[in-house]
Amino acid sequence: MLRADSLADLLGGRLEAPPGASLEISDLVSDSRKVTPGAGFVALPGEAMDGHAFVADAARRGAALAVVGQTFRPGPEAPPLLIRVADTAAALRAACSRRISQLGATVVGVTGSVGKTTAKEMCALALSGRPTARTPGNLNTWTQIPLHVLRLEPPVERLVVEMAMTAPGEIADLAGFTHPTYGVLLNVGQAHIGRLGSEEAIAQAKAELLAALPLQGAAILNADDPRVVGVAAQSPAPIRWFGEESSEATWRVEDIAPDGALGSRAVLVGPDGRAPIRLRAPGRHLLLDAAAAATVASCFGVGIAEAARRIGEFAPAEHRGEVMAGLRGSTLVDDSYNSSPTSLAAALEGLRVSGAPERLAIIGDMLELGDRTLSAHREAGRHAAGAATRLIAVGEQAEVVAAAAVAAGMPAAAVAQAADADGAAELALPLLRPGSVVLVKGSRGIGLERVVKRLLA
C-alpha cells in the first residue's frame, strides 16, 4: 500500500491534502481508464494529449490522488489529494531512481530485438534464491517501469528490468533512472527497422544499456550475434559471453533436442560444470535465453546446476509461445503477441521439430519493417514451406508469404490466404484434428489472438 506523503517525498513534490484525509493509495497509474477506487493518477505529457486533461476522469473513476504540475488548476471534479511537482515526467523518473536506492536493489537490465520478456522471466527465476522482483509482463517503457517500481515493497535485493526502445536515446533514458549494474544484450534483429533504418542503428540504440554499466558490473552478451559483438566495446564493465556456436562463449547451451512434441532439452555449460535443463516449450531460442539467464545468475554466485534447476520452472507468458489444448485434439502454440523475422524463424523451427504429422502455420504480417517488408515476408514464406505442412497467411502481405511458400515447394493446395484474423480462423477450423500442431504468430496489430480464441478447446 502506497502512502501519499511517502510518494510526495519520492517525487520531490508538495502534497496538498484536506484535514483528516486518508493518505493511503491502493495503486498508481498513468492511464485514467485504469484507475480503480483509491488509486493515484499521474498526469504525464503525451504526444497527442496532456494527462492533465484526464484528471477529472480519474476523479470520476475514484482516484484518491493526482500527481500534477505546479500550475494545474483543478476543476470541480478532482481527487481529494494532489501532489504538485515542477515536471511530472521528470518527477516520475526521479521517484523511480530514489525508490530503487531505498530498496537497495541491484538492477539487471535486459534488452534485445527478440526474447526480452522470456529472458527477463528466466533471469528472475535464476536469481530467486534471494528476494527478487522483475517488471511484469511486457511493461518496459519509461512510464511503465517507474510505476511498477513505486509499487514494490521490501525486501527486494535484485530487480530485473526489461528495457524496450523504438528510437535512439530511449534505453539511455531508462538506464539513467534504473541504474543497472548488469546488462543483458540478447540479440540485434530487424524489429523497428522501419523506424531506425538499419540493424547497425538498432545495435547502437541497444548498446546504450552497455554504455551505462558501471565498472564493477558486467555486460552479458550473445557471442553468436555479430551485431552484439560489434558493440561490445561500448561497455566499460567486464563482459561475460553466452552462446551456442561461438568458441568465445563461456556460458553455453549444448546438445539441444526436442523433448516430446512441444518441449525442449539441452545441457547448460559454465565454468563450474554442466547441467541438464528441460523447458516446457519448444525452440533453441528459449534455450539461448536460458544460457543468458545462467550467465546473469553467475554474477550473483549462483552455480550452473542451481540456475538450470530454477530456469527449468519457466513457462511462457500469455501469447508468447503458450502451448494450449485446441479443438478436436489439436495443440496450439499461441505466439500471437508479436512477430519479427528473427522470432518467426525461431517459432517455425520449433514447429518443424515438433514431430507432429500435421503442422499448420498461421502467419500474420510483421509490421515496422520499412523497406525490408517484402524481403522479410518472402523469407517467412520460404521458412514456412520447410517447417509446416499447411500455411494460412494473414494480412496485407499474405499474398507475398503464400507465393514464396509455393515457390519453395509447398503444394499450392496446402496454402491459403486470409485478409484478417476472423478469416484465418474460419480457414483453420476444418483443419484441426487429433495430433495436429498449430502455430499462430503475427505482429500485435494483426490481432491473431482472436484466432487462438476461436481454436481453443
Side-chain angles (χ1 to χ4, degrees):
M1 182 75 71
L2 296 163
R3 282 185 57 87
D5 49 357
S6 299
L7 182 60
D9 289 341
L10 288 169
L11 291 163
R14 184 180 75 255
L15 174 63
E16 297 178 2
S22 172
L23 300 183
E24 292 186 344
I25 307 300
S26 61
D27 196 6
L28 192 64
V29 300
S30 61
D31 184 337
S32 66
R33 295 167 297 183
K34 296 181 179 179
V35 167
T36 54
F41 170 68
V42 185
L44 294 173
E47 293 182 4
M49 291 287 289
D50 190 318
H52 291 83
F54 300 96
V55 171
D57 181 58
R60 287 191 292 270
R61 295 173 187 268
L65 174 146
V67 179
V68 298
Q70 297 284 12
T71 61
F72 174 74
R73 294 292 173 261
E77 291 183 295
L81 306 176
L82 293 178
I83 297 176
R84 293 190 181 276
V85 297
D87 181 311
T88 54
L92 186 62
R93 289 174 167 91
C96 180
S97 177
R98 293 180 183 123
R99 185 57 177 158
I100 289 171
S101 179
Q102 278 185 352
L103 292 167
T106 299
V107 175
V108 178
V110 180
T111 194
S113 295
V114 179
K116 293 184 294 295
T117 301
T118 295
K120 176 257 299 180
E121 296 293 332
M122 288 184 175
C123 287
L125 284 170
L127 298 175
S128 60
R130 301 291 299 173
T132 299
R134 81 281 189 270
T135 49
N138 65 316
L139 303 185
N140 52 26
T141 66
W142 74 268
T143 58
Q144 297 162 334
I145 292 170
L147 291 172
H148 174 68
V149 168
L150 291 173
R151 298 183 189 111
L152 293 176
E153 295 292 338
V156 179
E157 296 182 12
R158 302 151 179 188
L159 173 60
V160 187
V161 177
E162 179 180 339
M163 297 182 172
M165 69 88 200
T166 58
E170 290 181 352
I171 288 182
D173 175 39
L174 299 180
F177 61 79
T178 58
H179 315 295
T181 299
Y182 303 100
V184 182
L185 178 49
L186 297 166
N187 45 57
V188 174
Q190 296 183 21
H192 307 303
I193 200 166
R195 296 187 184 187
L196 281 87
S198 69
E199 290 183 359
E200 290 82 359
I202 294 170
Q204 291 299 324
K206 298 290 187 185
E208 293 168 6
L209 172 58
L210 310 185
L213 298 175
L215 289 172
Q216 70 272 23
I220 291 87
L221 305 183
N222 183 354
D224 294 345
D225 189 322
R227 301 288 186 197
V228 173
V229 174
V231 297
Q234 297 187 36
S235 171
I239 296 171
R240 298 193 180 197
W241 296 101
F242 70 91
E244 178 190 356
E245 300 172 354
S246 173
S247 60
E248 295 296 319
T250 305
W251 285 264
R252 307 174 59 81
V253 57
E254 297 181 352
D255 302 330
I256 296 175
D259 186 32
L262 289 167
S264 53
R265 66 178 186 273
V267 174
L268 288 181
V269 180
D272 58 332
R274 302 166 61 87
I277 184 170
R278 300 178 68 180
L279 296 180
R280 293 169 288 171
R284 61 197 319 114
H285 59 298
L286 297 184
L287 288 160
L288 199 59
D289 290 341
T295 311
V296 169
S298 73
C299 298
F300 294 84
V302 179
I304 198 73
E306 183 63 17
R309 184 187 67 77
R310 294 175 184 171
I311 297 167
E313 299 174 5
F314 169 78
E318 185 178 25
H319 305 310
R320 293 176 180 269
E322 283 185 285
V323 179
M324 314 168 79
L327 291 169
R328 296 193 287 279
S330 64
T331 299
L332 303 184
V333 181
D334 176 8
D335 208 351
S336 60
Y337 179 80
N338 213 341
S339 188
S340 69
T342 305
S343 66
L344 177 58
L348 285 169
E349 176 62 13
L351 180 66
R352 185 187 70 81
V353 302
S354 69
E358 297 187 37
R359 304 179 302 279
L360 170 61
I362 303 176
I363 297 176
D365 286 353
M366 297 176 284
L367 305 179
E368 297 185 3
L369 295 180
D371 60 8
R372 306 283 182 91
T373 297
L374 284 177
S375 62
H377 286 88
R378 290 190 186 106
E379 186 65 17
R382 289 191 287 269
H383 281 152
T389 57
R390 286 184 173 272
L391 167 66
I392 299 174
V394 190
E396 293 182 2
Q397 301 300 320
E399 185 175 355
V400 174
V401 175
V406 172
M410 181 172 272
V415 179
Q417 300 176 41
D420 55 27
D422 294 326
E426 290 298 326
L427 290 170
L429 283 166
L431 303 177
L432 304 184
R433 51 185 50 87
S436 61
V437 174
V438 182
L439 168 68
V440 184
K441 188 166 181 64
S443 282
R444 193 173 187 180
I446 308 303
L448 292 191
E449 68 274 7
R450 302 201 307 273
V451 175
V452 174
K453 188 175 182 179
R454 294 276 303 276
L455 304 187
L456 284 175

